[in-house]
Amino acid sequence: MTTRFPLLRGAILAIGLATAAVAQTGPLPRPSPPAVSQSEPGHAPLQERYNQLVQRQRAFNQARDAHNGRCLGIPTNESARIAACHQSKQQLDRERAAYGLALRDYEANQAFWQGRTLYLRGDYDGAIAQYHRALGLSTRQGAFDGHVGDEIDLARAAKAAKAGDMEAANTLLCQIEDRRNARPGWLETQAQQLFGKVRTWMLRYRKKFEVRTSGGICAVRG
């Protein structure tokens, strides 16, 4: 009897190792709903991304449950089943990693659109913080429906203008103008509106100076 127990324990351990090698535990996390309301910018693209991630999460969890049903408790002598389950687990691992990146980019876009919403509400510090959070979360270039560096400069310019520092606002807006032609759209419109206010103020008080950028000179003369 004493010689059988080590063999029995070894068989149980082998089965346990085979099971651990092929089993996939833990479902994918569900994405959080869009952080901005339907009346705020970015809701539609965020909702679309959210729906895609929810569908992807459900498909993964169903595949995981099916995998576990097939692959938990396989006897060690069924090498073909073990090999098939290893392959299935590798596929699940790849999808888990890809979903994780997609979820992180979605959260980055959540922060980006919250930044725009806060900008339009006049909360420039909040907007800047969300834009920086978006950059920290993003896993790739081109992850946003806009250029985050320009959005940060726009919020900084608006904050400076609100504080009465029109020269600082003008400098930041010149930097945006130096880059914006390659990226027309929402930010260009916002920058031009703010530029008009800044220049009107500076001309009223007869300010005269030039800001040199890589694209040339952005000047205001009074």
Side-chain angles (χ1 to χ4, degrees):
M1 290 296 291
T2 56
T3 59
R4 292 180 183 177
F5 290 136
L7 293 175
L8 181 60
R9 284 197 298 269
I12 292 172
L13 178 60
I15 293 173
L17 290 174
T19 298
V22 299
Q24 178 74 29
T25 59
L28 290 182
R30 189 179 181 88
S32 56
V36 296
S37 68
Q38 292 184 4
S39 62
E40 293 170 331
H43 182 271
L46 284 175
Q47 186 66 53
E48 183 178 0
R49 285 174 181 252
Y50 171 79
N51 293 339
Q52 292 171 350
L53 284 171
V54 168
Q55 292 174 1
R56 193 169 176 177
Q57 179 223 21
R58 287 174 179 168
F60 176 92
N61 290 342
Q62 289 174 356
R64 166 193 166 271
D65 291 343
H67 167 88
N68 285 346
R70 293 190 308 269
C71 299
L72 285 171
I74 302 175
T76 56
N77 61 348
E78 296 191 26
S79 57
R81 284 181 64 191
I82 291 174
C85 286
H86 273 299
Q87 184 176 6
S88 174
K89 181 179 183 298
Q90 289 172 355
Q91 292 174 346
L92 288 170
D93 285 344
R94 287 193 292 268
E95 173 57 14
R96 181 184 291 277
Y99 177 88
L101 292 177
L103 181 62
R104 185 163 175 170
D105 274 344
Y106 168 73
E107 295 298 336
N109 271 272
Q110 290 262 51
F112 174 82
W113 287 110
Q114 284 179 292
R116 278 200 178 174
T117 297
L118 291 170
Y119 173 85
L120 292 173
R121 291 177 180 174
D123 182 358
Y124 305 124
D125 284 330
I128 292 167
Q130 287 297 328
Y131 288 141
H132 281 295
R133 179 169 174 267
L135 285 174
L137 286 169
S138 176
T139 65
R140 59 187 175 86
Q141 290 185 344
F144 307 106
D145 297 323
H147 189 274
V148 183
D150 284 351
E151 307 269 346
I152 291 172
D153 279 350
L154 179 67
R156 290 171 60 200
K159 179 182 176 181
K162 184 178 180 180
D165 189 351
M166 297 301 173
E167 294 188 12
N170 188 73
T171 299
L172 289 162
L173 290 167
C174 283
Q175 292 173 1
I176 295 173
E177 189 176 45
D178 193 30
R179 303 185 299 252
R180 69 182 172 81
N181 290 332
R183 294 182 296 271
W186 179 88
L187 188 132
E188 180 183 10
T189 301
Q190 296 295 321
Q192 283 301 307
Q193 291 176 357
L194 186 56
F195 226 148
K197 295 177 183 178
V198 170
R199 284 176 165 169
T200 297
W201 184 93
M202 297 182 76
L203 291 171
R204 180 186 304 163
Y205 290 95
R206 299 188 178 279
K207 295 285 184 178
K208 179 181 179 181
F209 63 90
E210 296 178 341
V211 177
R212 294 186 178 273
T213 68
S214 59
I217 297 175
C218 178
V220 173
R221 298 179 175 86

